[in-house]
Amino acid sequence: MKIHRTEQSSHENRGKLAKRRVKLAGMGRMLGGEKIIFGGQTRYRLLKEQSLLDLAEEAANQALLAAGMNIKDIDLIVCAMATPLQAIPCNAALVHERMAKGLDIPAMDINTTCTSFISAVDILSCLVDNNRYERVLILSGDTASAALNPGQRESYELFSDGAAACVLVKATEGEESAVLYGCQKTWSEGAHDTEIRGGCGLMPAFYMEESNQEDYYFDMKGPRVLKLCAKRLPAFVEQCLGNAGVERKDIHKVIPHQASRALDIIMPRLGFPKGSYIDRVKEYGNLVSASVPFVLCEAAEMGLIQRGDLLLLMGTAAGLTVNFLLIRY
Amino acid sequence: MKIHRTEQSSHENRGKLAKRRVKLAGMGRMLGGEKIIFGGQTRYRLLKEQSLLDLAEEAANQALLAAGMNIKDIDLIVCAMATPLQAIPCNAALVHERMAKGLDIPAMDINTTCTSFISAVDILSCLVDNNRYERVLILSGDTASAALNPGQRESYELFSDGAAACVLVKATEGEESAVLYGCQKTWSEGAHDTEIRGGCGLMPAFYMEESNQEDYYFDMKGPRVLKLCAKRLPAFVEQCLGNAGVERKDIHKVIPHQASRALDIIMPRLGFPKGSYIDRVKEYGNLVSASVPFVLCEAAEMGLIQRGDLLLLMGTAAGLTVNFLLIRY
């Protein structure tokens, strides 16, 4: 086990060394059309006539416009979403149908639940660096409202429906934009702390009865998630900072997953005081996979982040998965 | 549009140049425990007490054993499956719970439906080449039977439940194993030719009524799929062979997705005569995402492929997605 630790550390060290010269060339974001207020906290839900695909398409078109590109310039469409729209085909094929029908752009899904966007940027920066792809459109977003349980107030009043997108391209000569270090870990002690048990392969829709309807709703055991995060996150963050050779003061802004209202308790405990990270839980709630790219996009629009800034994208996801990605914006 | 074509071709050419020195170090496979015969064709289904996780775990343990490894040696667990086991968390977190509980190995899903395994090897070979990960466990497999419609005989009698796994590692000095060229395309004209419309975000389990039960079953429009494949595949294969600088006679064996009994019609039309490719549709049917790795694993066990052989992994998937991956085994 000790050998394993050492190997992992040496593995993580490599992340620092392999600077991947990529740039987030454009971003976009879109919320569900219905606005609801729960005790001063604003949440958004899809209108009856809206689908997540409408939001994703709008966010992607904004991202393409901001990048000065057309869908025809893109050579890979990736959905980095937490939940499936259909069991078959993958979400990216359905987005492709909306945006790229008639074109032959490859489409695929990458999924680590709420941190899917961070994982996708981590992975795709390697593919772009490797010249496997050059201009990637990444879409995140989920219809939380499709499975929220009105009886579980904590989660019912937390989540919003929304989407966000970005175009990831190779950085050109003279641009300092890059992915500098990435680390993900999964602790499956938390596999059932945040879940939707029913609707898919293990418990198909056909099995739903009066007695097991709860299994088809989103189910979050908030206190258990918080406890596991409190146990794992501090050492994880220290280890990542150490392996990346970066101190907290070097980081211009942390963009955390907007997990819950506990953000203001957890982030300072991880050594990130108020102001060093972006907290928009009051304004938007937890946008599932769209949280990080949505808040990142808004921060760029508001001038809170500038080209050349060192940013930390960080988050926890059902799994329990944690992700840590340092980028030069 | 012409400019786009030219750019894509130059992009595809790059695949050839970037040899990724990785090796499939070990493989494993497992079928559902119930055997059924339909008109001389053998199919497998999960026993009542089995879950796909049992099959995936068994296949993965075989792969680890064959690679001379323990789960603790693995630094990334990837589920390359076509269908979700739960809407949340991702499949890899559930596999992690079975195999790696207490360890901190990252877990993620990569999904291009039936060609997920090919996409995963393509992507992960770049990540290993980039030193982002070093020893990856890839699991494929689906519970087709969870959504098969007894009223749609063509698909009901085609699919099997099964799983397959492999360990992908960096090739060492002196080993010629590598990923040589990869190309994927998606044509979303086919997005609804193979699908499960209900059960997830766009049509949750709660929406199921007497009148729309069919939407919750797997639905394959066989003739439409075949027509789109016939239109797209020949040019796709020629283009890939050309860009990779490889002729059909250089390929030791083609491992196609075991899409249907039409394999024996389609493959010769693509210039691959009987004997040049592996067809086990009669023995196993369509194992969805497990088809390619299952047949590849069996071929290695049977001595049909040897280290150093040039192999072509190829397949069509819901989307319509096509994948082409040349590897030195």
Side-chain angles (χ1 to χ4, degrees):
Chain A
M1 192 61 195
K2 225 163 193 154
I3 291 163
H4 178 57
R5 287 278 117 222
T6 316
E7 280 173 357
Q8 280 231 339
S9 293
S10 91
H11 153 67
E12 280 151 13
N13 266 319
R14 283 201 309 274
K16 178 177 66 171
L17 307 171
K19 181 173 166 176
R20 303 163 223 154
R21 301 194 53 255
V22 295
K23 185 172 89 164
L24 301 177
M27 293 183 284
R29 61 194 179 99
M30 188 70 189
L31 292 162
E34 189 194 1
K35 191 172 170 176
I36 318 173
I37 312 283
F38 293 114
Q41 303 262 323
T42 314
R43 305 294 180 248
Y44 295 85
R45 302 281 160 85
L46 288 180
L47 296 169
K48 275 209 165 38
E49 65 272 21
Q50 276 181 324
S51 109
L52 183 73
L53 289 166
D54 300 320
L55 274 51
E57 186 180 7
E58 170 59 28
N61 281 329
Q62 286 175 24
L64 288 167
L65 190 67
M69 287 185 188
N70 185 289
I71 189 69
K72 289 180 184 171
D73 298 317
I74 295 298
D75 62 7
L76 177 65
I77 296 172
V78 173
C79 277
M81 296 171 170
T83 53
L85 291 165
Q86 297 190 176
I88 289 179
C90 66
N91 290 353
L94 298 172
V95 165
H96 190 296
E97 187 190 18
R98 284 294 188 97
M99 302 193 66
K101 203 169 173 177
L103 301 176
D104 62 5
I105 306 167
M108 65 176 63
D109 289 359
I110 292 175
N111 183 352
T112 60
T113 326
C114 280
T115 56
S116 296
F117 178 80
I118 305 179
S119 295
V121 173
D122 188 1
I123 291 166
L124 294 164
S125 63
C126 292
L127 296 187
V128 170
D129 198 55
N130 215 295
N131 295 318
R132 178 66 184 87
Y133 293 104
E134 201 170 292
R135 296 171 297 269
V136 186
L137 176 62
I138 308 174
L139 302 98
S140 292
D142 293 279
T143 316
S145 64
L148 285 177
N149 185 348
Q152 190 175 82
R153 199 176 147 187
E154 182 194 2
S155 58
Y156 189 78
E157 299 187 356
L158 173 61
F159 289 91
S160 284
D161 300 338
C166 92
V167 176
L168 185 82
V169 302
K170 208 163 183 106
T172 54
E173 285 303 316
E175 288 179 329
E176 54 178 340
S177 299
V179 166
L180 302 172
Y181 173 84
C183 183
Q184 182 187 326
K185 289 186 187 293
T186 299
W187 290 280
S188 55
E189 302 92 295
H192 301 286
D193 292 349
T194 310
E195 64 177 342
I196 302 175
R197 288 178 290 280
C200 299
L202 288 182
M203 191 186 283
F206 300 108
Y207 296 5
M208 189 165 74
E209 314 170 342
E210 199 78 51
S211 64
N212 68 1
Q213 279 208 21
E214 295 269 320
D215 286 328
Y216 292 77
Y217 281 122
F218 176 81
D219 180 28
M220 187 172 74
K221 297 176 181 75
R224 283 180 59 96
V225 176
L226 279 177
K227 201 174 157 191
L228 189 52
C229 287
K231 183 179 168 190
R232 298 297 191 183
L233 275 178
F236 171 74
V237 169
E238 288 307 324
Q239 195 185 6
C240 289
L241 289 169
N243 287 334
V246 163
E247 291 182 50
R248 288 180 181 79
K249 66 174 173 51
D250 303 327
I251 298 168
H252 184 83
K253 202 63 102 178
V254 184
I255 320 286
H257 172 51
Q258 309 286 302
S260 79
R261 295 168 71 172
L263 208 58
D264 265 346
I265 299 163
I266 288 168
M267 293 303 287
R269 282 196 192 161
L270 296 173
F272 298 107
K274 219 167 168 156
S276 70
Y277 61 94
I278 294 179
D279 178 0
R280 304 287 279 161
V281 174
K282 182 169 183 280
E283 288 77 10
Y284 304 118
N286 182 330
L287 285 155
V288 200
S289 68
S291 274
V292 168
F294 189 98
V295 168
L296 181 65
C297 175
E298 189 192 43
E301 288 169 16
M302 291 165 74
L304 289 174
I305 58 170
Q306 310 286 342
R307 288 287 170 200
D309 283 353
L310 183 64
L311 304 180
L312 168 56
L313 314 187
M314 194 176 84
T316 56
L320 174 81
T321 283
V322 295
N323 253 293
F324 182 107
L325 193 75
L326 275 171
I327 64 171
R328 181 74 63 190
Y329 178 62
Chain B
M1 190 63 190
K2 226 163 195 155
I3 291 164
H4 178 56
R5 288 278 121 222
T6 316
E7 281 173 357
Q8 280 230 342
S9 295
S10 90
H11 154 67
E12 279 151 12
N13 268 320
R14 284 201 307 275
K16 178 177 66 171
L17 307 171
K19 181 173 165 177
R20 303 163 224 154
R21 302 195 51 257
V22 295
K23 185 172 89 163
L24 301 177
M27 293 184 284
R29 60 194 179 99
M30 188 69 189
L31 292 162
E34 189 194 359
K35 192 173 170 173
I36 318 173
I37 313 283
F38 293 113
Q41 303 261 322
T42 314
R43 305 294 180 248
Y44 296 85
R45 302 281 160 88
L46 288 181
L47 296 169
K48 273 207 167 31
E49 65 272 22
Q50 275 181 324
S51 109
L52 183 73
L53 290 167
D54 300 321
L55 274 53
E57 186 180 8
E58 171 59 29
N61 281 329
Q62 287 175 24
L64 287 167
L65 190 67
M69 287 185 188
N70 184 287
I71 189 68
K72 289 181 185 172
D73 298 317
I74 295 298
D75 62 6
L76 176 65
I77 296 172
V78 173
C79 277
M81 296 171 170
T83 52
L85 291 164
Q86 297 190 175
I88 290 179
C90 66
N91 290 353
L94 298 172
V95 166
H96 190 296
E97 187 188 18
R98 284 294 188 97
M99 303 192 65
K101 204 170 172 175
L103 301 176
D104 62 6
I105 306 168
M108 64 176 64
D109 289 359
I110 292 174
N111 182 352
T112 60
T113 325
C114 281
T115 56
S116 297
F117 179 79
I118 305 179
S119 295
V121 173
D122 188 0
I123 291 165
L124 295 164
S125 64
C126 292
L127 296 186
V128 170
D129 199 55
N130 215 295
N131 295 317
R132 178 66 184 88
Y133 293 104
E134 201 170 293
R135 297 170 299 270
V136 185
L137 176 63
I138 307 174
L139 302 99
S140 292
D142 293 278
T143 315
S145 64
L148 285 176
N149 185 349
Q152 189 176 83
R153 199 176 149 188
E154 181 194 5
S155 57
Y156 190 77
E157 299 187 356
L158 173 60
F159 289 90
S160 283
D161 300 337
C166 93
V167 176
L168 184 82
V169 302
K170 207 162 186 109
T172 55
E173 285 303 315
E175 288 179 329
E176 52 178 340
S177 299
V179 166
L180 301 172
Y181 173 83
C183 184
Q184 181 186 326
K185 288 185 189 292
T186 299
W187 290 281
S188 55
E189 302 92 294
H192 301 287
D193 292 349
T194 310
E195 65 177 343
I196 302 175
R197 287 178 289 280
C200 299
L202 289 182
M203 192 186 283
F206 299 108
Y207 295 7
M208 188 164 76
E209 319 172 337
E210 200 77 53
S211 63
N212 68 0
Q213 279 207 23
E214 295 270 321
D215 286 329
Y216 293 78
Y217 281 121
F218 177 80
D219 181 28
M220 187 173 73
K221 299 175 179 75
R224 283 181 58 96
V225 176
L226 278 177
K227 200 174 157 192
L228 190 53
C229 287
K231 182 179 168 191
R232 298 296 189 181
L233 276 178
F236 171 73
V237 169
E238 289 307 325
Q239 195 185 4
C240 289
L241 289 169
N243 287 335
V246 164
E247 291 181 48
R248 287 180 180 78
K249 65 174 174 50
D250 303 328
I251 298 168
H252 184 84
K253 202 62 101 177
V254 184
I255 320 286
H257 173 50
Q258 310 285 302
S260 79
R261 294 167 73 171
L263 208 58
D264 265 346
I265 299 164
I266 287 168
M267 292 303 287
R269 283 196 191 163
L270 295 174
F272 299 107
K274 221 170 166 151
S276 70
Y277 60 92
I278 295 180
D279 177 2
R280 304 287 280 159
V281 175
K282 182 169 183 280
E283 288 77 9
Y284 305 118
N286 182 330
L287 285 156
V288 199
S289 68
S291 274
V292 168
F294 189 99
V295 168
L296 181 66
C297 176
E298 189 192 43
E301 287 169 15
M302 292 166 75
L304 289 174
I305 58 171
Q306 310 286 342
R307 287 287 170 200
D309 283 353
L310 183 64
L311 305 180
L312 168 56
L313 313 187
M314 195 175 84
T316 56
L320 175 82
T321 284
V322 296
N323 253 292
F324 182 107
L325 193 74
L326 275 171
I327 64 171
R328 182 73 63 189
Y329 178 62

